[in-house]
Amino acid sequence: MALDKNGIAKRIAQELRDGWYVNLGIGIPTLVANFIPEGIEVEFQSENGVLGMGPFPFEGEEDADLINAGKQTITVQKGAAFFDSSMSFAMIRGQHVQLTVLGAMEVSQSGDIANWKIPGKMVKGMGGAMDLVASAENIIVAMMHTNRENESKILKECTLPLTGAGCVKRVVTELAVLEIKDNKFHLIERAPGVSVEEIVSKTQGDLVVPEVVPEMQL
Amino acid sequence: MNKVVKNVEDALTGIESGMTLMLGGFGLCGIPENSIQQLVKLGVKDLTCISNNAGVDDFGLGLLLQQKQIKKMISSYVGENAEFERQMLSGELIVDLIPQGSLAERCRAGGAGIPAFFTPAGYGTEVAEGKEVRIFNGKPHILESALTADFAIVKAWKGDTEGNLVFKATARNFNPMMAMAGKITIAEVEELVPAGELDPNFIHTPGIFVQRIFKGEKFEKRIEQRTVRKNN
């Protein structure tokens, strides 16, 4: 069965490593913080100026001066630090953040990502996404395999304006874990109970399928 | 040097139609809300506003958009403002959307006397159109220029009569860089204290960057997304 959003987050959380600083984008990526594997320590960076982000506050303890990049009220962990936007992006551009997880509207087999604009319809802006994808060494895209019209979002070439070119190496969807290499998608894992045929039929880009495709262990 | 002005009216003296303003804040967090309301009262028009976001429909820079006082916005993310999106898609408002890190660094550069810098952000996207590209360490970068403003308007938690500023939590965001990049920088603060009360070890923005400081009359500090967990 296809994963729900929490399932995607849970699978991505398995990629976390002890000692990493991690930037989580808005949407599914935010949920990754709920599934940190036991025995490892990671710290979450939010580009609006906090390192050591904690869970949402208890009711009545919200502080208008303490939010994440999604403008949600948050708390901080012991040992947290605040800083300005310039220093925040110094952390990001300077590759001091080990992992970036973000959402996408489309990804291509060359590692392009589009997630900020639908010409003539929706223009919200790129926020920090362009800085993040241009600089991060390790980017995981969390997204749905198809759009509402059931058209693939895993493409040979992106049709929407790009956020970054040739930067995505790993994609986790409700159906599969894909790796991008040599201008192709490679099927690494499938969601429990999801057939290889289904993944192939919903992937428009070139997909390399090995003989055995293991199921995700969640 | 005493930078204190009596109130928001005195603080915003000299702001005229057609000027370029920088306004601190991320979403509604750390915005100079008293000054924004005063800009509405002043009725100045054709403003170019440099601000990470554009407020919401009825708060923050949304108030200036409603009155059609803004000609051009330079921002990174404007997703929470329906009026903004309407004015932009209809062509009434000129919008320059730039990556958030580039926006921050362009303000910092403007205040730091660095005319331009190379960054990888935006390479291969429409942000790079018309910009010089250079390869450093095998990776393409684009040339981004510094930003300055006629007035920078920032909001701090505490300030002293010398203009030294301390910000609280994530309300710091763009305020320190914008304070550096204004020809005249106005700081509105929640607490205004005599010189000597703030520990010099913990000043975020030194007073040299601030020309006018005043205590804001009222801070609503609206929360955009109130997210909580249940008490056990």
Side-chain angles (χ1 to χ4, degrees):
Chain A
M1 213 179 73
L3 302 175
D4 61 6
K5 287 177 177 182
N6 280 306
I8 296 174
K10 206 169 170 184
R11 176 61 191 83
I12 291 172
Q14 293 175 358
E15 307 279 319
L16 299 172
R17 297 292 175 267
D18 192 41
W20 275 7
Y21 292 100
V22 180
N23 181 291
L24 300 177
I26 296 163
I28 301 173
T30 307
L31 301 172
V32 172
N34 300 332
F35 301 103
I36 305 168
E38 258 182 62
I40 75 161
E41 203 182 319
V42 293
E43 253 183 59
F44 294 109
Q45 197 254 18
S46 194
E47 63 266 27
N48 59 316
V50 55
L51 203 56
M53 204 180 356
F56 294 147
F58 289 119
E59 228 171 316
E61 291 176 10
E62 313 91 286
D63 179 352
D65 290 324
L66 183 48
I67 61 169
N68 62 18
K71 285 106 184 174
Q72 298 170 312
T73 46
I74 54 161
T75 59
V76 290
Q77 308 276 16
K78 276 183 191 165
F82 299 121
F83 35 85
D84 64 49
S85 302
S86 169
M87 187 176 287
S88 180
F89 283 93
M91 293 174 191
I92 290 164
R93 261 188 257 100
Q95 300 190 334
H96 306 281
V97 174
Q98 277 81 19
L99 173 67
T100 291
V101 184
L102 77 174
M105 299 194 270
E106 295 176 346
V107 293
S108 82
Q109 62 194 40
S110 60
D112 295 350
I113 174 171
N115 71 355
W116 73 284
K117 183 177 184 182
I118 304 173
K121 268 194 204 157
M122 187 282 290
V123 188
K124 292 187 184 302
M126 65 291 281
M130 284 193 185
D131 309 271
L132 281 158
V133 299
S135 303
E137 278 179 298
N138 196 2
I139 300 169
I140 300 177
V141 171
M143 65 188 293
M144 303 307 279
H145 220 93
T146 55
N147 64 19
R148 280 186 205 131
E149 286 75 43
N150 213 25
E151 296 160 340
S152 182
K153 306 203 291 184
I154 314 291
L155 306 172
K156 288 187 205 302
E157 271 182 50
C158 292
T159 64
L160 296 170
L162 295 188
T163 307
C167 49
V168 177
K169 294 191 182 78
R170 197 159 259 240
V171 181
V172 179
T173 75
E174 80 281 20
L175 304 178
V177 178
L178 305 170
E179 212 169 81
I180 298 174
K181 206 168 51 181
D182 308 325
N183 207 31
K184 286 186 176 69
F185 291 104
H186 297 255
L187 183 54
I188 303 297
E189 290 175 19
R190 58 199 167 90
V194 170
S195 69
V196 169
E197 290 70 33
E198 182 179 357
I199 297 165
V200 169
S201 75
K202 289 182 174 171
T203 304
Q204 190 249 9
D206 296 332
L207 180 66
V208 177
V209 182
E211 246 171 71
V212 181
V213 182
E215 277 192 2
M216 297 178 197
Q217 301 294 313
L218 294 169
Chain B
M1 267 175 275
N2 190 356
K3 310 281 178 67
V4 178
V5 293
K6 207 166 61 220
N7 50 32
V8 70
E9 286 85 4
D10 285 4
L12 269 59
T13 302
I15 295 185
E16 291 169 12
S17 292
M19 281 188 167
T20 296
L21 309 180
M22 282 183 182
L23 298 112
F26 185 101
L28 302 179
C29 182
I31 60 171
E33 46 181 286
N34 289 279
S35 300
I36 291 171
Q37 274 152 14
Q38 179 63 16
L39 286 171
V40 174
K41 272 192 212 157
L42 286 172
V44 284
K45 288 203 169 5
D46 296 324
L47 299 171
T48 294
C49 291
I50 304 171
S51 177
N52 188 53
N53 310 91
V56 294
D57 285 323
D58 62 343
F59 198 61
L61 287 185
L63 297 172
L64 295 180
L65 286 165
Q66 268 183 16
Q67 304 301 317
K68 306 219 162 60
Q69 291 176 263
I70 303 178
K71 179 183 69 179
K72 181 177 179 183
M73 281 288 313
I74 301 176
S75 304
S76 88
Y77 190 84
V78 293
E80 281 85 6
N81 193 316
E83 174 62 12
F84 183 102
E85 209 160 343
R86 193 196 64 72
Q87 287 186 21
M88 173 166 60
L89 291 172
S90 72
E92 289 165 60
L93 181 70
I94 305 167
V95 180
D96 192 2
L97 287 170
I98 53 183
Q100 196 174 120
S102 298
L103 177 61
E105 200 60 19
R106 288 175 72 179
C107 295
R108 202 196 76 82
I114 293 173
F117 58 91
F118 283 96
T119 175
Y123 174 76
T125 76
E126 61 186 58
V127 164
E129 283 167 19
K131 288 175 186 162
E132 186 183 336
V133 175
R134 260 218 245 167
I135 314 280
F136 295 96
N137 303 320
K139 197 174 161 170
H141 292 71
I142 62 174
L143 186 67
E144 291 281 10
S145 58
L147 290 169
T148 56
D150 296 306
F151 283 85
I153 310 177
V154 302
K155 189 261 164 177
W157 177 29
K158 295 177 184 176
D160 69 13
T161 49
E162 295 277 312
N164 293 306
L165 304 178
V166 175
F167 304 93
K168 193 182 149 208
T170 54
R172 192 180 322 181
N173 55 63
F174 282 82
N175 285 298
M177 289 86 63
M178 290 185 170
M180 292 166 69
K183 286 177 197 136
I184 297 175
T185 292
I186 301 162
E188 65 171 73
V189 299
E190 290 177 56
E191 283 178 50
L192 182 58
V193 301
E197 295 257 314
L198 297 177
D199 184 339
N201 286 301
F202 296 100
I203 301 292
H204 296 133
T205 291
I208 193 168
F209 296 117
V210 176
Q211 280 69 47
R212 303 175 189 170
I213 188 167
F214 73 100
K215 186 179 180 305
E217 200 175 46
K218 180 177 156 269
F219 288 94
E220 178 183 336
K221 290 207 196 178
R222 196 184 290 188
I223 292 175
E224 214 164 320
Q225 306 275 346
R226 188 179 297 275
T227 44
V228 294
R229 66 192 143 132
K230 288 261 176 294
N231 283 301
N232 291 330

